[in-house]
Amino acid sequence: MELKAGYKEDYGTIFYGKVVNVDFELKGADEATIVECTDVSVDLKKDHLVVNYPAGTDAAQVVRDVCSYAAIPIGRIDDTGYKFEKSYTFPGTPYDIILDVIKFCNGKLRQELQDMPYLRKMLSSVEFGREYVFTIENNMAYFVRGAKMIYEAEVLESDTGLLDVSKVKSEDKDKFKIRALLRWRIQVGKPVVIKSVKLDGQFNVSAYKHVCKGEEYYTELEVIP
């Protein structure tokens, strides 16, 4: 089940998962359908697989296949150029198999660095990190080179739908609760810029939820410096 939300031309996927239960409930004269779902990424760590690949297979194909098995849509998975020199068997959960592929690819990359010292300084720098990583962003799978992906910060201000800013009572003295018109790109760990009288600056999202109440659609999030 894929759930999309947003505004006219600016919308995207806020949830992608599997339906585990469907129920019906009477509300006055209307009948409501209640759908219970689980995040598809959960399946990455569930079933135990054994997959075999012949010599000459690009390592990226393994990641594509296990993501397909777990029903996770692919955002970007490029061929690595690293092909198996002989037949290869991967046992484990889909997530374990992906970790094995990452080790295989990064091992090949490090070997290249040893063989070409003039590249070592450039490729090993933190700012230019080039090792392979696997991540799920906007409910889609990415297998790319880079120590981390670069994200464009969401800007929340009155002109872009900022509704309320309040301090959260917790052990974390610098945690704030934000309410804004629905922002489908919001994700945990991603940067947001808050521009208001109460709060001004860039923060990271520590928690969020999208809310639908009648005809109201908004996003509530907690942010920390």
Side-chain angles (χ1 to χ4, degrees), residues 118-225:
Y118 67 91
L119 286 177
R120 189 178 302 126
K121 182 177 181 180
M122 178 180 71
L123 295 182
S124 62
S125 68
V126 175
E127 297 79 9
F128 200 70
R130 298 291 292 169
E131 291 200 335
Y132 283 91
V133 294
F134 175 81
T135 184
I136 295 179
E137 308 294 339
N138 290 324
N139 301 285
M140 304 184 80
Y142 291 82
F143 178 62
V144 296
R145 284 181 69 176
K148 60 181 180 180
M149 299 182 69
I150 304 301
Y151 305 98
E152 182 178 349
E154 287 282 293
V155 178
L156 299 178
E157 54 186 334
S158 58
D159 290 342
T160 60
L162 179 62
L163 300 174
D164 185 55
V165 176
S166 59
K167 191 76 175 290
V168 175
K169 294 181 180 180
S170 69
E171 296 179 358
D172 193 335
K173 298 180 180 179
D174 296 320
K175 182 180 288 187
F176 294 86
K177 184 176 182 179
I178 311 296
R179 188 161 65 94
L181 296 179
L182 184 72
R183 301 300 291 262
W184 67 271
R185 291 185 178 86
I186 294 293
Q187 291 189 68
V188 171
K190 306 304 182 291
V192 292
V193 173
I194 310 297
K195 294 184 178 181
S196 73
V197 175
K198 295 182 179 179
L199 194 63
D200 189 12
Q202 180 167 309
F203 302 82
N204 288 321
V205 178
S206 60
Y208 76 95
K209 65 178 179 179
H210 300 300
V211 181
C212 171
K213 286 186 177 180
E215 296 184 356
E216 286 188 274
Y217 298 87
Y218 57 90
T219 299
E220 288 184 346
L221 55 148
E222 292 184 355
V223 300
I224 56 178

Side-chain angles (χ1 to χ4, degrees), residues 4-131:
K4 292 186 177 182
Y7 307 93
K8 293 185 178 180
E9 297 180 357
D10 182 19
Y11 65 92
T13 300
I14 61 173
F15 178 80
Y16 194 99
K18 290 184 177 180
V19 176
V20 296
N21 186 53
V22 178
D23 204 354
F24 301 94
E25 181 179 300
L26 286 176
K27 291 188 175 181
D30 298 322
E31 185 177 50
T33 301
I34 301 173
V35 182
E36 182 180 351
C37 303
T38 59
D39 192 318
V40 292
S41 62
V42 173
D43 287 344
L44 281 176
K45 298 182 179 180
K46 286 179 61 177
D47 297 337
H48 190 280
L49 309 176
V50 177
V51 292
N52 300 286
Y53 290 88
T57 302
D58 191 289
Q61 187 59 45
V62 182
V63 182
R64 294 190 189 99
D65 289 346
V66 295
C67 286
S68 177
Y69 174 84
I72 297 177
I74 293 173
R76 178 181 174 185
I77 298 179
D78 296 332
D79 283 343
T80 64
Y82 299 132
K83 298 182 179 181
F84 303 138
E85 298 175 358
K86 58 182 181 180
S87 60
Y88 223 103
T89 299
F90 292 93
T93 65
Y95 186 70
D96 291 335
I97 292 172
I98 290 173
L99 291 181
D100 285 342
V101 172
I102 290 174
K103 291 177 182 177
F104 172 83
C105 292
N106 288 337
K108 291 289 187 181
L109 179 59
R110 295 185 188 110
Q111 185 177 348
E112 287 182 355
L113 293 178
Q114 291 177 355
D115 295 339
M116 295 180 287
Y118 67 91
L119 286 177
R120 189 178 302 126
K121 182 177 181 180
M122 178 180 71
L123 295 182
S124 62
S125 68
V126 175
E127 297 79 9
F128 200 70
R130 298 291 292 169
E131 291 200 335

